[in-house]
Amino acid sequence: MTATPARVPLRATVIGAGGLGGPIALSLAAAGVELVIVDHDTVELSNLHRQLQFTTQDLGHPKATRLAGLVVARGGSARGVVMKWRPEEVDDHTMDADLVVDASDDPETKFAAADWAVANGRAYVIAAALRYGGNVMAGTPGYSCYRCLFEEPGEAPTCGDAGVLGPVVGAVGGLAAAIALGILQGDRRFAGTLVVIDDLRTSAPRFIRFSPRPGCPACARAPISPSSSDATPVRVAEGS
Ligand SMILES: [Zn+2]
């Protein structure tokens, strides 16, 4: 497969419009990235403590379209797609993305998104949060991939089941957005790296760089040409 030519503005697909997807989408859009936000869920009262982008006005509405509407109201570009992200149905919303960000609460989706990005030569960021911590994996073509490290979806509980401290998703989402913006600008420092926050209250992030796994079914024969330019403009705000 050939690489997608560089393009401005850059485009990203954000999978998941919840606690992680909120800060990720708002941050990327504020930096000028055009978004498609894919999520099949609706806003529930129990979501509001960690999904700060929503209010009681959003209850019962699809998260994807409500978050996209918030992005647009803030001057950004976003389209909400109400469906569960599946690699076999990406033509309409992910095929032209420069970057895929998984902010879902579903291990199967994370593996599918990473595998799809690797197979199609796209950069990707996979974010996860649980209880007091979380992790962010960044990948670009030519580097070790999500499946090199984790191999298969495990039996880990989701934050919907096991809970997550509200501020943790904001912190992990912000970290994922910062790394995603760096990758879109050509920064490869975090490619093939897992950033782990064990406990946001007590520990500093750990940066774990890992090697490609020989024979990895996802990346061993994947294209290595990056799909986006190594020098692309992302707006950086002045002041605080
Ligand atoms: Zn791999």
Side-chain angles (χ1 to χ4, degrees):
M1 174 163 291
T2 57
T4 306
R7 169 185 53 214
V8 174
L10 295 162
R11 295 178 186 166
T13 293
V14 178
I15 304 168
L20 293 168
I24 290 169
L26 292 169
S27 298
L28 294 183
V33 181
E34 291 186 351
L35 300 182
V36 175
I37 301 168
V38 184
D39 192 304
H40 67 287
D41 219 352
T42 54
V43 181
E44 298 177 24
L45 189 61
S46 63
N47 299 147
L48 299 187
H49 81 100
R50 66 180 186 276
Q51 301 182 13
L52 305 184
Q53 68 271 29
F54 298 129
T55 72
T56 51
Q57 302 281 313
D58 298 307
L59 294 178
H61 293 278
K63 293 180 184 180
T65 51
R66 297 301 265 201
L67 180 55
L70 185 55
V71 166
V72 171
R74 292 168 53 86
S77 171
R79 177 166 67 91
V81 177
V82 184
M83 62 179 288
K84 187 175 173 65
W85 190 90
R86 292 186 178 87
E88 59 272 20
E89 298 176 62
V90 301
D91 288 2
D92 178 48
H93 51 70
T94 307
M95 192 51 82
D96 64 351
D98 300 292
L99 174 83
V100 179
V101 185
D102 177 277
S104 74
D105 188 21
D106 173 17
E108 301 278 353
T109 302
K110 293 182 187 304
F111 275 87
D115 287 350
W116 182 89
V118 170
N120 289 277
R122 314 302 167 84
Y124 62 97
V125 173
I126 310 292
L130 187 69
R131 300 193 181 103
Y132 302 110
N135 59 68
V136 177
M137 157 78 199
T140 59
Y143 288 82
S144 47
C145 81
Y146 192 71
R147 196 174 284 278
C148 285
L149 182 65
F150 292 110
E151 299 194 21
E152 298 288 339
E155 298 297 312
T158 67
C159 71
D161 300 328
V164 62
L165 190 68
V168 167
V169 289
V172 175
L175 175 64
I179 291 174
L181 288 174
I183 286 177
L184 284 170
Q185 290 179 295
D187 184 347
R188 297 292 179 263
R189 279 176 295 178
F190 295 103
T193 300
L194 183 75
V195 186
V196 179
I197 299 173
D198 294 309
D199 187 329
L200 183 67
R201 304 165 302 174
T202 59
S203 58
R206 294 183 290 129
F207 297 82
I208 303 169
R209 183 175 292 277
F210 55 95
S211 301
R213 184 160 54 93
C216 171
C219 71
R221 291 188 300 277
I224 60 170
S225 301
S227 63
S228 55
S229 166
D230 277 359
T232 45
V234 172
R235 284 201 297 272
V236 177
E238 297 178 359
S240 58

